[in-house]
Amino acid sequence: MPQPFIQVDSFTSEPYAGNPAAVCVLERERDDRWMQLVAREMNLAETAFLSRHGDEFSLRWFTPLAEVDLCGHATLAAAHVLWEEGILEPGAEIRFQTRSGLLIARRRSGYIEMNFPSEPATRADVPPGLAEALGATPLFVGRNRLDYLVELASPEEVLTVKPDFRALARIDVRGFIVTARTVGEDHHFISRYFAPAYGIDEDPVTGSSHCCLGPFWAARLERTEMVGFQASARGGIVHVRLEGERVMLSGHAVTVMRGVILH
């Protein structure tokens, strides 16, 4: 039976910007191997697979190389699809069961808002080869269960980083968040995200990294609501709001493509 998919650009209100994700609302049970092969064929940062179980949805995320524990932009895309395709009413709250527990999406103030776990980084030793692989000198290096967080001295340094992706891929971690504070802009901090070990040299806009960036910059800026700009070639904006041990991530999404998986 053919399986429809929808491709969505997340954390943007314009098509062909933000971060693309494919969304499959599964019409029958599929095994892990099939999902991984589809994600490899899509060759996007993430492909999301949804299956309904009563009032909740099982949600899984795959890169071209592996299943991941947490993904923001594909969750945003999944929520967008469920509402836009009429699977759920526009005002309905969406409950996703995932490898990171229950995630909730709702519409708020014109945005899609997602309730995610806070993933703060604690100070860590600089792993051997990291500074050389980034070609930059860190002000701070932290680590959470997913990624390394690297603070640089200025937005310009973040923009000019040219990583050695092969060297980064040899460090045992999902990915690397590189960030700096911004002043006098319409956002509070800038970031980029690299995950070559998972087949993503640079991710366009990474929701899950803002689960780490949120608490990191909240402590430094002494505020609980912030706007982050991810400075990839496509670029994207993530609104961040802290509520205790949860991080609310908000953004827009745009449908750009529809298709059918034949096998």
Side-chain angles (χ1 to χ4, degrees):
M1 178 186 297
Q3 169 64 54
F5 73 90
I6 297 173
Q7 188 166 315
V8 175
D9 288 342
S10 294
F11 294 116
T12 178
S13 56
E14 300 292 333
Y16 313 118
N19 200 354
V23 178
C24 296
V25 182
L26 296 176
E27 299 190 344
R28 63 182 177 91
E29 290 296 319
R30 298 284 191 166
D31 61 29
D32 292 7
R33 181 176 180 274
W34 180 86
M35 286 188 273
Q36 186 62 73
L37 288 173
V38 168
R40 188 176 71 180
E41 192 77 8
M42 293 294 183
N43 200 32
L44 299 170
E46 258 86 17
T47 299
F49 298 94
L50 288 161
S51 56
R52 189 165 193 167
H53 301 279
D55 293 333
E56 299 183 335
F57 290 84
S58 168
L59 172 59
R60 299 174 69 180
W61 313 280
F62 287 78
T63 78
L65 295 182
E67 186 172 8
V68 297
D69 290 335
L70 188 62
C71 178
H73 85 278
T75 304
L76 185 70
H80 170 81
V81 165
L82 292 177
W83 286 317
E84 292 297 309
E85 297 301 303
I87 298 170
L88 293 177
E89 292 296 318
E93 178 181 273
I94 305 176
R95 298 169 63 87
F96 296 115
Q97 291 293 345
T98 76
R99 286 172 61 153
S100 288
L102 175 66
L103 306 179
I104 296 174
R106 58 176 65 90
R107 283 185 160 137
R108 182 176 185 270
S109 302
Y111 291 88
I112 297 173
E113 181 183 77
M114 302 177 294
N115 184 326
F116 268 45
S118 178
E119 300 282 354
T122 57
R123 185 179 292 274
D125 294 333
V126 181
L130 176 60
E132 293 78 8
L134 291 175
T137 302
L139 292 180
F140 171 90
V141 174
R143 173 76 194 267
N144 65 12
R145 70 184 180 97
L146 301 169
D147 304 309
Y148 277 103
L149 172 71
V150 180
E151 182 188 3
L152 299 181
S154 69
E156 291 73 25
E157 284 195 48
V158 174
L159 291 169
T160 56
V161 162
K162 295 181 179 179
D164 179 339
F165 294 117
R166 289 188 179 182
L168 286 182
R170 290 193 289 268
I171 300 173
D172 185 20
V173 70
R174 185 188 71 161
F176 304 86
I177 308 163
V178 179
T179 188
R181 180 180 179 176
T182 53
V183 178
E185 302 285 350
D186 55 0
H187 47 270
H188 300 95
F189 59 86
I190 188 173
S191 69
R192 292 170 70 190
Y193 184 78
F194 312 110
Y198 279 72
I200 308 164
D201 284 349
E202 179 164 6
D203 195 33
V205 193
T206 314
S208 62
S209 69
H210 288 75
C211 296
C212 179
L213 288 161
F216 178 79
W217 286 114
R220 283 155 177 77
L221 301 178
E222 298 183 338
R223 57 186 304 144
T224 57
E225 294 192 29
M226 295 158 287
V227 179
F229 171 57
Q230 191 154 333
S232 65
R234 294 173 64 103
I237 295 291
V238 183
H239 293 255
V240 182
R241 181 166 59 89
L242 272 62
E243 287 191 4
E245 296 184 354
R246 306 296 292 182
V247 177
M248 308 298 155
L249 306 176
S250 299
H252 296 294
V254 183
T255 299
V256 295
M257 192 181 304
R258 299 174 186 273
V260 177
I261 301 164
L262 298 175
H263 303 287

